[in-house]
Amino acid sequence: MSPDELNRREMLFRGAALLPATMLLGCAGDELPAEVPTVADTTAQPAPDGSARLEPTAACTDDDDDPTLEQTEGPFFSPGSPLRRSLLEPGTRGRRLVVTGLVLSANCRPVGRAVLEFWQADADGEYDNEGFTLRGHQRTDADGRYRLETVVPGAYPGRTRHLHVKVSRARSSAVLTTQLYFPGEAANRNDGLYDRTLAMRVGRSGRVRTGRFDFVLA
Ligand SMILES: [Fe+2]
């Protein structure tokens, strides 16, 4: 990828990578308080000090990027999740996690209005198979950016920590189904599905864990 392309991608991503100040409030401990207000959908705004900026990943390193690896959706997908960027609800327990990134085409162009649907286990490794706790879908903005507010999922027997996601273009029936992982987890070694190409670039901003991942659609 040319330097111009790198710069363009960095500019595209800056807004999405910055954590709004509202997100940093009320995060004094690793666990959320028993009653935490739902964080409304927000358009990412630069933090005043710019401290939460994440560096671009190496996702688009040449002109012919491989599409993101597909993985099984597993047994716990439920269609019809609510439209929301924040999966946090009153009473949600766990370390807060913000995942940001881009949806890109195979030639490294941002895909606006792409649909991302996320679902995951809670901090105890349990899925809500009755309702839509920790499930939701959203669309990328015109620059292909997405932003998910949630909590770090718990591992469960046989699986390391992971997020499930489906990504599709607007008005397309083709769906990328995959999973995102946390690098450095001991359980990654024993999980047959773990793939390092699906590991997020993780960091932290105060007590909030951050993850960065760019999806490349075929
Ligand atoms: Fe799972």
Side-chain angles (χ1 to χ4, degrees), residues 147-200:
R147 184 176 188 280
L148 174 71
E149 279 190 44
T150 184
V151 291
V152 175
Y156 54 90
R159 295 306 318 277
T160 190
R161 291 183 209 281
H162 61 281
L163 302 171
H164 292 271
V165 60
K166 288 177 179 285
V167 188
S168 57
R169 296 171 187 269
R171 296 181 296 281
S172 171
S173 59
V175 178
L176 164 68
T177 300
T178 192
Q179 303 183 31
L180 299 183
Y181 296 97
F182 297 77
E185 294 279 328
N188 290 345
R189 287 194 294 273
N190 301 318
D191 186 323
L193 284 175
Y194 174 79
D195 190 289
R196 63 181 180 79
T197 69
L198 296 173
M200 297 181 286

Side-chain angles (χ1 to χ4, degrees), residues 17-89:
L18 301 176
L19 303 177
T22 52
M23 209 199 70
L24 302 177
L25 300 176
C27 300
D30 289 356
E31 298 298 314
L32 292 175
E35 294 296 322
V36 58
T38 300
V39 178
D41 285 357
T42 57
T43 301
Q45 296 294 327
D49 62 1
S51 59
R53 182 170 301 165
L54 296 178
E55 295 302 314
T57 66
C60 263
T61 52
D62 55 49
D63 292 334
D64 295 305
D65 287 289
D66 293 332
T68 299
L69 182 70
E70 298 203 41
Q71 290 205 319
T72 177
E73 71 177 28
F76 303 123
F77 174 67
S78 297
S81 70
L83 175 66
R84 55 181 178 177
R85 289 191 173 86
S86 175
L87 307 185
L88 302 177
E89 298 177 8

